[in-house]
């Protein structure tokens, strides 16, 4: 998923899952004391929060915030990517996999005391699908009955979502969908207070009202946001903190200095690259560093419709010429080299997959076979924010070794995305800063939108303009396998899909990023990886507590 | 002409500071022109031993006299090659800006009336012109070259010179002796050249030299937005721009190109003062 | 007289504003970045993107889009941000007052540091004081904003603990960001003041005044400074426009909620409504700043006449 607001200082991300339960370096493991209640935490962010409307928000900064302002039928168990019920007390699935019935928690309330009923659920889903909303989450709901009519403006309601009684919702699908529960667990499935949403209309983004552990108390544009405990929150004992203050507007480098002085408790933007080595090598600070593993792959696309990359031999040669280890060293080891599309930890990731090995000799031979013995010139588009231009320069030097002379086009994010999605414009794109991170932990999310024929269109995200009808058919087949007993068969199919795609080599998968941030000694988390919780990556604000609380 | 050259030589011989300045300027130009012969390494070679194991740049030392950058490249070589971009931008772009600004400022301030008002309102327009947006649009449409950078910098910077020169021209024109000269029947051109311009020379020197420093920095911003030199081509501005967040870890990456910019601008400033003395001997009493 | 002059300048200012909006609008239109696609999200179908485009009116011809924009602006509506989906007037409005404060304080520091050092340097031309001032001036103008800001933060906030580590609110918060900008910009004032002072000091009538025994400080203050003030006033007028369009780096080092960071983010994501609004704000500031400078010049030097 791409966030809609480019962040100028840090690669873009929004992740709903993480590979390994992180927190390698923190001292808050099993020995951590019982969480305390009360206290305040200050979190630093450079950029102002773009929106807190769950139908709109889609970036790494607002995602975990909306996670604690709202709740939804399903969510992930704290510290894992395992689905569990949240607002729903229980649910049932029909044998044909097309009807879901959710029983809501009785007495669930919004932060203002309004009762949360089945009507609110129906209202919230319709709000996301409503074309007037222009929600980036709209398409996730495509398998719900009545979606097409509503999107086309022929219906004002989703016929597939029915209020059976105040505490029962029925969701009917037009076809089995292996991912629908994951979709309802995304923020696009957040339940909003219909009364408040109607009152504020489009300004709901600044006056959000949900049933999560926190509620928004104050938002001073460009300066700060204050979240306070929601007194009506249904889960006893949560949140731990009384208040979370988001301090907005300062450079991450200064934020780090302030954390070291005790003025900030958590670096929202992570450890600035310039200070990364210094901080992680310093015994004084090491114990406060948190490691997170987003389900992300950073890759290089080669436009299969443009010379010289219309020749699979050239694309394979490039795969063999990029020195991934060197690139990871350039970014101070904040990543792991990879040879495949799916990141480790994503279901379907193939541990045994052998990709293209670094082999200059073979690469040169392939170039020669393709008729480029005398070299060839091309262009690489890259997002202009560090470290991406540096990585692009490393790739440029690597490709120089096999006779590919690369000119760089270092541009703003919106322009790179636009060039990638325009036919025959960008021969190569480095995905860093716009890299594909998952919407939910399912392999389908890494094929259709970035490698499928349907997205090899103007404005699409398939920047390799790769289209293989046979593989598309395999992928389509995989997604109809929605029954629980078909999971293994489905994953095997997905492995086949990605293996076959990489045989055509439209990409060079380069590395999976590892993220580092830091917290003060004043705060701790339960479970310990709530600082990089895979379900609400990166922060589970509701489960962080103040060590000086009660 | 020979006499003038003679004047210059004599002057330089007499003034050590001016001589030093002239030598610095000469050295910089030589460095830029002969970079391929002077540089110990290629500017874009990424050395494996140019980075520490944790991927940090190497400080100045025996192998890399001025240290390396974040890609493990030799900073000395990059600065020598970077002088090419930076001197062209700092001198050419800035000279164009100062020239346009001075000419328009003098015309507006001396002629005044509708013509003057039109020029000054045009200046307002150009000041308000969204140059960065223009740069981004150009970056998307054209292939990046240094010429666009020079054009954009000239477009942005002349307005400041123009407004300052304009106010000075007005003030000087109102001085009694200018009125006197004019009433004696001197042609306007003669008044401008003989009695107005000499007073504007200091301003031109201020802008012509301080402007070098700002133009070099503006080039880095424009290149970042995609119009100027693209990586890995070095310039002093983009070396600073790319590395400033690292200045506490690797201060040489910011300090050395920064010093280079200051030294060039200062040298031109001193040289400007010296040349003014040569051309206008009376000015020595003034300054 | 002054009324008519003001009226004419303001009318021209409105025309200028119109011109700037047209140019910016065209440039943004030419940019190959598709806001509808960015809004609809990466999973949206082509049809969904098309619907968003229609909703925003981005499917209309350029001139119609501009007229719609103009119509809205005349009704006081600056539109909604594409990315944040909030009224632009809210976003920009919240940042205008902090930007104005920082502008005034920074210009204050520039004048304090620049004019003072310029005067001192001009009294001892080409001597040690003058040379030191000159070197400092060039260092200041050449120094990267980020480095200057962080250094001040290190020294005065972290080491001495005299000032907060950035933020906005009390008057004490403004000192370091304004000082950073003052240090960076004072060089221009210093050099211009110096050269103007020298120019005036060499005038015959000043020499006469000196010869007649008027003390050096009196001559300097009354005659020279008044003349040196003219270009300085012109520079202040332009600084008003410059600072009102935002100073990104210093703002982000000190967490100052000014217009610069908003503009920079908007430029990076091609958030056209925000870019249009801020371009208009800075155009207004430029017109007003220059007008103000021209009027102040009248009082500084009564010989100048309005044309």
């Amino acid at each position: 998923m791409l966030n809609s607001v480019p962040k100028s200082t840090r690669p873009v991300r929004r992740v709903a899952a993480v590979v390994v339960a992180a927190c390698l370096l923190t001292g808050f493991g099993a020995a951590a004391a019982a969480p305390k209640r009360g206290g305040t935490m200050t979190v630093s962010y450079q950029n102002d929060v773009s929106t807190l409307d769950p139908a709109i928000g889609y970036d790494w900064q607002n995602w975990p915030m909306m996670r604690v302002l709202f709740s939804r039928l399903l969510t992930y168990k704290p510290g894992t990517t395992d689905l569990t019920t949240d607002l729903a007390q229980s649910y049932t699935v029909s044998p044909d996999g097309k009807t879901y019935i959710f029983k809501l928690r009785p007495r669930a309330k919004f932060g203002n005391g309004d009762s949360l009923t089945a009507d609110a659920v129906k209202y919230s889903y319709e709000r996301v699908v409503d074309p007037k909303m222009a929600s980036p989450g709209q398409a996730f709901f495509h398998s719900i009955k009545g979606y097409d009519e509503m999107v086309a403006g022929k219906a004002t309601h989703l016929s597939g979502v029915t209020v059976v009684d105040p505490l029962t919702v029925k969701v009917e699908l037009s076809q089995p969908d292996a991912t629908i529960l994951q979709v309802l667990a995304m923020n696009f499935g957040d339940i909003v207070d219909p009364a408040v949403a109607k009152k504020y209309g489009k300004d709901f983004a600044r006056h959000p009202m949900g049933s999560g552990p926190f509620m928004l108390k104050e938002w001073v544009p460009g300066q700060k946001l204050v979240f306070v405990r929601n007194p009506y929150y249904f889960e006893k004992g949560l949140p731990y903190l009384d208040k979370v203050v988001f301090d907005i507007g300062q450079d991450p480098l200064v934020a780090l200095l302030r954390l070291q002085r005790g003025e900030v408790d958590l670096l929202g933007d992570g450890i600035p690259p310039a200070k990364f080595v210094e901080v992680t090598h310093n015994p004084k600070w090491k114990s406060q560093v948190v490691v997170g593993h987003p389900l992300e792959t950073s890759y290089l696309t080669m436009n299969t419709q443009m010379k010289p990359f219309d020749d699979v031999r050239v694309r394979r040669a490039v795969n063999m010429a990029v020195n991934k280890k060197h690139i990871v060293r350039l970014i101070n080891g904040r990543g792991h080299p990879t040879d495949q599309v799916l990141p480790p930890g994503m279901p379907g990731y193939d541990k045994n997959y052998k990709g293209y090995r670094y082999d200059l000799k073979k690469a040169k031979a392939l170039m020669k076979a393709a008729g480029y013995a005398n070299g060839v010139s091309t262009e690489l588009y890259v997002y202009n924010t560090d470290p991406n231009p540096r990585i692009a320069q490393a790739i440029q030097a690597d490709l120089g070794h096999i006779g590919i002379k690369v000119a760089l086009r270092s541009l703003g994010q919106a322009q790179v995305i636009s060039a990638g999605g325009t036919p025959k414009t960008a021969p190569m794109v480095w995905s860093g800063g716009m890299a594909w991170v998952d919407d939910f932990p399912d392999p389908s999310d890494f094929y259709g939108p970035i490698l499928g024929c349907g997205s090899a269109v103007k404005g699409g995200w398939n920047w390799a303009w790769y289209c293989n009808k046979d593989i598309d058919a395999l992928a389509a087949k995989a997604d109809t396998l929605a029954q629980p007993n078909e999971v293994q068969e489905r994953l095997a199919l997905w492995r086949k899909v990605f293996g076959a795609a990489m045989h055509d080599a439209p990409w060079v998968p380069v590395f999976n990023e590892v993220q580092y941030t830091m917290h003060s000694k004043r705060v701790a988390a339960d479970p310990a990886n709530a600082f990089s919780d895979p379900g609400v990556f990166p922060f589970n604000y509701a489960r962080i507590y103040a060590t000086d609380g009660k | 002409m020979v006499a003038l050259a003679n004047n210059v030589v004599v002057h330089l011989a007499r003034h050590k500071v001016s001589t030093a300045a002239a030598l610095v300027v000469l050295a910089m130009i030589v460095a830029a022109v002969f970079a391929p012969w002077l540089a110990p390494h290629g500017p874009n070679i990424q050395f494996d031993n140019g980075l520490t194991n944790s991927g940090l740049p190497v400080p100045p030392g025996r192998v890399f006299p001025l240290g390396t950058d974040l890609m493990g490249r030799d900073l000395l070589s990059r600065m020598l090659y970077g002088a090419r971009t930076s001197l062209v931008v700092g001198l050419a772009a800035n000279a164009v800006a100062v020239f346009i600004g001075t000419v328009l400022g003098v015309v507006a301030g001396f002629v005044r009336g509708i013509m003057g008002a039109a020029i000054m309102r045009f200046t307002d327009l150009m000041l308000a012109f969204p140059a960065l947006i223009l740069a981004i649009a150009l970056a998307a449409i054209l292939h990046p070259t240094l010429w666009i950078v020079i054009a954009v910098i000239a477009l942005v910077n002349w307005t400041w010179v123009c407004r300052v020169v304009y106010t000075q021209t007005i003030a000087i024109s109102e001085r009694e002796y200018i009125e006197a000269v004019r009433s004696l029947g001197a042609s306007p051109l003669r008044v401008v050249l003989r009695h107005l311009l000499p007073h504007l020379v200091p301003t031109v020197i201020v802008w012509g030299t301080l402007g070098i420093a700002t133009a070099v920095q503006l080039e880095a911003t424009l290149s970042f937005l995609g119009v100027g030199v693209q990586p890995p081509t070095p310039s002093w501005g983009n070396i600073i721009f790319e590395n400033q967040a690292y200045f506490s870890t690797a201060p040489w990456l910011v300090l050395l190109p920064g010093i280079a910019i200051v030294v060039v601008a200062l040298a031109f400033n001193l040289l400007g003062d010296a040349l003014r003395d040569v051309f206008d001997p009376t000015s020595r009493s003034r300054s | 007289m002054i009324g008519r002059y003001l009226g004419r300048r303001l009318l021209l200012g409105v025309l200028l504003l119109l011109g700037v909006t047209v140019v910016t609008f065209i440039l943004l239109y030419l940019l190959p970045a598709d806001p509808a696609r960015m809004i609809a999200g990466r999973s949206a179908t082509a049809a969904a993107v098309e619907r968003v485009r229609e909703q925003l009116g981005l499917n209309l011809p350029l001139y119609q889009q501009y007229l719609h924009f103009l119509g809205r602006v005349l009704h006081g509506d600056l539109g909604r941000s594409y990315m944040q989906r909030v009224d632009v007037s809210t976003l920009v409005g919240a940042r205008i007052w902090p930007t104005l404060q920082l502008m005034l304080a920074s210009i204050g520091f520039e004048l304090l540091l620049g004019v003072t050092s310029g005067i001192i340097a001009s009294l001892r031309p080409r001597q040690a004081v003058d040379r030191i001032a000159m070197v400092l001036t060039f260092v200041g103008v050449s120094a990267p904003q980020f480095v200057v800001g962080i250094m001040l933060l290190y020294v005065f906030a972290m080491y001495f603990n005299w000032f907060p580590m950035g933020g906005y609110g009390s008057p004490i918060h403004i000192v370091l960001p304004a000082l950073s900008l003052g240090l960076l910009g004072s060089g221009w004032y210093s050099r211009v003041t110096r050269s103007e002072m020298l120019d005036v000091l060499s005038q015959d009538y000043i020499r006469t005044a000196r010869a007649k025994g008027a003390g050096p400080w009196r001559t300097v203050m009354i005659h020279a400074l008044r003349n040196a003030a003219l270009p300085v006033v012109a520079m202040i007028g332009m600084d008003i426009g410059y600072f009102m369009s935002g100073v990104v780096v210093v703002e982000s080092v000190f967490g100052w909620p000014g217009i610069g960071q908003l503009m920079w983010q908007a430029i990076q994501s091609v958030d056209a409504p925000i870019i249009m609004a801020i371009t208009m704000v800075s155009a207004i500031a430029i017109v007003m700043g220059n007008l103000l400078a021209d009027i102040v010049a009248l009082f500084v030097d009564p010989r100048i006449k309005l044309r």
Side-chain angles (χ1 to χ4, degrees), chain B residues 50-181:
Chain B
L51 287 177
T52 65
N53 285 334
S54 41
L56 288 181
V58 176
R62 231 162 34 86
V63 188
F64 304 106
L66 300 185
T68 61
D69 71 358
L70 294 169
M71 302 284 305
R73 296 173 296 210
D74 180 46
L75 183 62
L76 173 61
S77 308
R78 286 185 71 71
M79 280 184 56
L80 286 168
Y81 277 90
R84 299 177 153 195
T85 306
S86 295
L87 287 182
V88 167
V89 169
L91 303 185
N94 193 47
V96 174
V98 172
F99 179 77
I100 298 176
T102 309
V103 169
L104 289 182
V106 167
V107 170
F110 194 74
V111 178
R112 310 200 65 184
I114 291 187
M115 174 85 153
I119 291 176
M120 291 327 290
R121 300 295 75 78
F122 177 65
T123 312
D124 285 353
L125 181 71
M126 293 313 294
L127 265 171
F129 188 81
L132 286 187
I133 310 288
L134 173 75
I136 293 171
L138 290 176
I141 299 160
L142 305 171
H143 276 251
T145 77
L146 205 51
W147 293 110
I148 306 177
V149 172
I150 293 173
V152 173
I153 291 177
L155 196 76
V156 173
N157 282 1
W158 70 264
T159 46
W160 288 69
V161 190
C162 181
R163 268 202 69 88
V164 171
V165 166
Y166 166 75
T167 52
Q168 286 179 316
T169 305
I170 289 179
I172 297 166
S173 310
E174 308 284 354
R175 285 183 188 163
E176 288 82 0
Y177 73 87
I178 297 265
E179 308 249 304
V181 174

Side-chain angles (χ1 to χ4, degrees), chain B residues 20-44:
Chain B
L23 285 177
V24 166
V25 168
L26 197 68
M28 290 292 177
I29 292 169
V30 167
V33 173
F34 296 99
W37 291 276
L38 293 170
H41 306 286
N44 303 330

